[in-house]
């Protein structure tokens, strides 16, 4: 994974796969469909626009294992620290490694929503930096308590980082901490403007490869909601205006915007990941729009 991501000039195309039911068989079938449509890698998520239901870390790992078994392509699984002790996290990680799920995207995570309202309470024993350090120790053959493993793990450690047009000194320092802790690559939050991606790339400074997440908007309501929830400038007025002009065809316009952004971002990163992969035809359109050949 690290060698592939480091290969400049050949951007990857990824797709998040999390079916409505959260069950393995639908996930595996969806993964096979988007793989056939041109996706180079599959990812499973626990939170964010990528998922349509709350998914635990264990479920994300289980779905990733099912996806890679069906497609023959190693999948990325999101691992979050919310409501997990360090020892529980370590058990999940070792279990994932035993099942061949070794490509991970680390994050702090959040509580599952109640109805349409997200929970704001937090229970974290370690943050994303602590999770990265835990994985780094396992890769060196040492567990959380300093005990030697029978053999070291070989995790590829990714970390999810928010992209916004204006990053504070605290945001930049947090990004550098995650890289210093041992992150091998970065997966951005959904990006809707070049300015947000440029700010993230400046903070990373070329230290590790970056994959940009592209989220196809499906309605004007969703776009307006995200504009209120995200930092200022993340969703530009011009994008909202395009969706408004689209009228009843707003979903189609959202997909057109996603294809344009994917082609644009691929030139500055090591690849893009589509946050909604239930439309293999959209995956195919994005692949065709990428400015350089995708690794097969």
């Amino acid at each position: 994974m690290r060698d592939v991501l480091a290969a400049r000039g050949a951007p990857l195309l990824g797709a998040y796969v999390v079916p409505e039911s959260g069950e393995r068989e639908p996930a595996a079938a969806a993964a096979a469909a988007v793989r056939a449509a041109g996706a180079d890698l599959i990812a499973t998520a626990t939170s964010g626009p990528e998922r349509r239901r709350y998914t635990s870390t264990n479920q994300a790992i289980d779905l990733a294992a099912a996806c890679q078994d069906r497609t023959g392509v190693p999948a990325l699984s999101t691992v979050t620290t919310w409501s997990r002790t360090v020892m529980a996290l370590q058990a999940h990680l070792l279990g994932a490694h035993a099942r061949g799920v070794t490509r991970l995207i680390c994050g702090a995570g959040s509580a599952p929503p109640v109805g349409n309202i997200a929970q704001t309470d937090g229970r974290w024993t370690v943050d994303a930096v602590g999770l990265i350090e835990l994985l780094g120790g396992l890769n060196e053959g040492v567990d959380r308590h300093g005990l030697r493993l029978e053999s070291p793990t070989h995790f590829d450690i990714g970390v999810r980082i928010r992209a916004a047009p204006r990053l504070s000194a605290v945001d930049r320092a947090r990004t550098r901490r995650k890289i210093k802790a041992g992150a091998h690559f970065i997966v951005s939050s959904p990006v809707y403007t070049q300015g947000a991606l440029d700010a993230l790339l400046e903070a990373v400074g070329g230290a590790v490869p970056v994959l940009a997440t592209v989220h196809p908007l499906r309605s004007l309501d969703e776009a307006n909601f995200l504009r209120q929830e995200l930092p200022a400038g993340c969703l530009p007025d011009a994008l909202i205006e395009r969706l408004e002009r689209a009228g009843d065809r707003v979903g189609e316009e959202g997909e057109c915007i996603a294809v344009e952004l994917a082609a644009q971002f691929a030139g500055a990163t090591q690849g893009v990941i589509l946050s909604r992969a239930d439309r293999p035809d959209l995956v195919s359109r994005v692949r065709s729009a990428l400015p350089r050949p995708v690794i097969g």
Side-chain angles (χ1 to χ4, degrees):
M1 179 69 174
R2 278 168 271 176
D3 291 342
V4 171
L5 285 170
R8 296 289 298 183
L12 291 168
L13 173 57
Y16 279 99
V17 171
V18 181
E20 189 71 38
S21 63
E23 297 176 355
R24 280 182 288 176
E25 186 54 34
V34 297
R35 170 63 176 160
D40 297 294
L41 56 89
I42 306 299
T44 58
T46 61
S47 61
E50 297 82 12
R51 57 101 171 128
R52 288 175 284 178
R53 66 186 297 278
Y54 180 75
T55 307
S56 69
T57 289
N58 250 358
Q59 286 175 304
I61 290 171
D62 190 51
L63 293 176
C67 290
Q68 62 186 30
D69 287 346
R70 175 68 69 88
T71 63
V73 177
L76 287 81
S77 175
T78 301
V79 177
T80 58
T81 65
W82 186 85
S83 194
R84 295 288 186 277
T85 65
V86 174
M87 294 313 296
L89 279 170
Q90 181 168 282
H92 291 328
L93 296 172
L94 292 175
H97 194 272
R99 300 183 66 182
V101 178
T102 60
R103 297 178 173 185
L104 304 179
I105 304 171
C106 300
S110 59
V114 175
N116 293 323
I117 302 174
Q119 295 291 315
T120 57
D121 64 317
R123 297 198 298 271
W124 292 271
T125 301
V126 295
D127 58 9
V129 171
L131 176 55
I132 294 168
E133 291 173 343
L134 173 60
L135 285 163
L138 296 178
N139 278 352
E140 294 177 359
V142 181
D143 76 358
R144 179 70 176 184
H145 295 296
L147 301 176
R148 299 296 305 182
L149 303 176
E150 289 187 10
S151 59
T153 59
H154 50 276
F155 287 112
D156 288 307
I157 308 169
V159 62
R160 186 180 175 94
I161 295 180
R162 172 175 284 186
R166 289 175 291 279
L167 295 177
S168 67
V170 173
D171 291 330
R172 295 173 184 275
R174 187 180 297 115
T175 297
R176 289 192 293 270
R177 279 185 63 211
K178 292 174 180 177
I179 295 172
K180 186 176 180 180
H184 299 138
F185 63 97
I186 286 170
V187 176
S188 79
S189 63
V191 189
Y192 305 94
T193 174
Q194 185 67 45
L197 180 61
D198 288 342
L200 174 59
L201 293 175
E202 182 182 357
V204 173
V208 294
V210 174
L211 295 172
T213 300
V214 176
H215 175 69
L217 295 163
R218 291 182 174 174
S219 71
L220 188 58
D221 286 344
E222 180 187 26
N224 283 323
F225 173 78
L226 289 173
R227 181 163 58 172
Q228 296 299 318
E229 294 293 313
L230 296 175
C234 283
L235 264 173
D237 291 340
L239 187 152
I240 300 294
E241 291 169 2
R242 281 185 63 175
L243 296 176
E244 288 175 338
R245 291 194 299 270
D248 293 340
R249 302 173 67 87
V250 62
E252 296 177 27
E253 186 66 15
E255 291 187 355
C256 289
I257 292 171
V259 173
E260 294 169 13
L261 291 176
Q264 180 178 331
F265 297 159
T269 65
Q270 279 68 41
V272 295
I273 303 182
L274 282 176
S275 73
R276 281 178 169 158
D278 56 344
R279 292 281 303 278
D281 60 318
L282 177 59
V283 174
S284 180
R285 286 172 60 194
V286 170
R287 174 154 191 168
S288 297
L290 291 182
R292 300 189 295 266
V294 177
I295 294 175

